[in-house]
Amino acid sequence: MKITNFYTIVALSLNMALFAQKGLPIKVNDFNIKPLTSFSNVTLQKSLELELRANPEWNKLIANKKMSVGIVDLSNPNQIRFASVNGNHMMYAASLPKIAILLAAMDAIEKGEFKETEAVKKDMKIMISKSDNDAATRMIDRVGYKKIESVMTNPKYMFYDENKGGGLWVGKRYGGDGATHREPIKNLSHAASVNQVCRYYYLLAHGKLVNEKRSKQMLDIMGNPDLHHKFVSTLDKIAPNAYLFRKSGSWQTYHSDSILVWGNDPNRRYILVALIDDASGEQIIRDLVKPIEKALKRKARTNLIV
């Protein structure tokens, strides 16, 4: 075994052990894994809307369906709370849907559809951590559009659901020519909705993407992001010791970010997703974190939306 490979394996093992020590994946009985909408919470929904609509610019973007935000409160594993604005509104999401490639690849590897070589491991890592387009394109070519679609529409996940506005989709290589396979509702090549991305992170946090082993591997790939912009830029300042697992994307006026924040303080454990179509989207995403954390702190009482 090469020395570099040895240290890679050691680092991966240490990271997985660290996640386990910190409570990831979250351990709950399978019957507690429910549709995310079953955790919809009146108090959190009102708090989220209050914080967002207090900003006139954000309020206008929300009204025009150019801004979508979703949050999942994980501070109490036995009392998860969920809220979103424009949650089922699918938008172009640039590089964020690379998480769909990652899941499809893990599913294919687990089923023996292609081998998990060192080159594949490296491409999966830099496709997420550095948002490397060449690596993403190589992974698309390995996995194939049909495989990505089959995993996104698998009844186990339903991350793309035509009856709920669509969701996660990858139907075009990143930075390369070739055939396309666009989603059927809006003809988008790289799409997402905040509700479906929140569900992705919810299942990942509970070890339910493929299986616990692959979920831990995905957490390792998505952890310690190399790009310190958008959500991460703010969290670096206000929560420098929190563990961050994320994927973002930007193209022209489209800006997106998604993150699982896992703080040492259980009160700072949540999922946050934002999709914005505006030239100021990057700064808006940076500015979102503090109001979102403020909304999460309002826990007067728990009311579930039936």
Side-chain angles (χ1 to χ4, degrees):
M1 179 186 293
K2 293 182 179 179
I3 295 296
T4 54
N5 290 345
F6 171 77
Y7 284 117
T8 298
I9 292 171
V10 169
L12 179 60
S13 299
L14 289 173
N15 278 339
M16 288 184 175
L18 182 60
F19 298 157
Q21 291 172 6
K22 295 298 180 181
L24 286 173
I26 301 168
K27 302 291 186 181
V28 297
N29 291 325
D30 283 349
F31 66 82
N32 287 328
I33 302 298
K34 301 175 182 178
L36 194 55
T37 51
S38 70
F39 300 116
S40 295
N41 182 273
V42 170
T43 301
L44 185 58
Q45 184 69 38
K46 289 180 178 178
S47 296
L48 173 62
E49 293 185 16
L50 179 67
E51 293 298 331
L52 296 180
R53 297 188 186 281
N55 185 306
E57 178 187 356
W58 299 0
N59 192 38
K60 183 178 179 180
L61 289 171
I62 289 168
N64 292 326
K65 293 196 172 181
K66 290 183 176 291
M67 180 172 178
S68 303
V69 180
I71 52 176
V72 184
D73 180 7
L74 301 174
S75 59
N76 183 346
N78 297 312
Q79 198 173 71
I80 289 172
R81 304 187 303 157
F82 167 64
S84 67
V85 173
N86 289 332
N88 285 328
H89 181 67
M90 183 173 60
M91 298 171 64
Y92 182 77
S95 289
L96 190 157
K98 289 174 182 175
I99 62 175
I101 306 171
L102 179 63
L103 174 56
M106 288 294 178
D107 185 85
I109 291 167
E110 185 68 18
K111 292 176 179 175
E113 295 171 3
F114 69 86
K115 293 183 179 180
E116 188 177 14
T117 64
E118 289 301 316
V120 166
K121 290 178 183 178
K122 180 180 178 181
D123 278 347
M124 289 192 296
K125 178 62 178 177
I126 64 176
M127 170 182 73
I128 300 297
S129 65
K130 298 180 182 296
S131 202
D132 188 285
N133 283 339
D134 291 338
T137 293
R138 288 191 293 269
M139 289 307 302
I140 289 171
D141 291 344
R142 290 182 181 109
V143 178
Y145 294 134
K146 289 294 186 180
K147 175 65 177 182
I148 298 172
E149 178 186 0
S150 71
V151 174
M152 293 305 103
T153 59
N154 188 316
K156 178 181 178 180
Y157 303 123
M158 293 301 290
F159 291 135
Y160 184 92
D161 186 344
E162 290 190 58
N163 295 320
K164 295 182 179 178
L168 273 169
W169 189 276
V170 174
K172 185 178 182 295
R173 300 164 91 220
Y174 284 90
D177 298 325
T180 61
H181 183 60
R182 296 172 181 269
E183 55 82 30
I185 299 176
K186 296 183 177 180
N187 201 39
L188 296 175
S189 55
H190 307 121
S193 66
V194 298
N195 282 6
Q196 297 292 24
V197 179
C198 281
R199 289 183 57 245
Y200 182 105
Y201 278 84
Y202 163 73
L203 292 174
L204 175 64
H206 287 83
K208 302 302 180 182
L209 292 186
V210 185
N211 54 38
E212 185 170 316
K213 173 187 173 183
R214 294 299 178 185
S215 290
K216 288 179 179 179
Q217 189 176 354
M218 292 171 69
L219 284 167
D220 178 67
I221 289 170
M222 297 176 71
N224 301 317
D226 287 335
L227 302 178
H228 288 251
H229 59 359
K230 298 178 182 171
F231 290 150
V232 177
S233 175
T234 301
L235 286 160
D236 280 345
K237 298 172 185 175
I238 68 173
N241 296 320
Y243 296 94
L244 308 179
F245 310 84
R246 69 86 74 112
K247 185 70 196 80
S248 65
S250 287
W251 183 75
Q252 295 186 357
T253 61
Y254 293 97
H255 299 274
S256 58
D257 208 353
S258 59
I259 196 163
L260 164 60
V261 179
W262 197 257
N264 292 318
D265 178 358
N267 289 318
R268 182 173 267 141
R269 293 179 178 178
Y270 60 87
I271 295 160
L272 173 58
V273 182
L275 304 174
I276 298 171
D277 176 9
D278 187 80
S280 301
E282 164 107 13
Q283 187 60 49
I284 292 171
I285 290 173
R286 290 174 184 242
D287 294 340
L288 264 174
V289 177
K290 290 182 180 179
I292 292 300
E293 291 205 347
K294 186 177 177 182
L296 286 164
K297 288 177 182 177
R298 291 195 185 96
K299 296 183 180 180
R301 62 194 180 96
T302 300
N303 292 315
L304 296 182
I305 301 173
V306 179

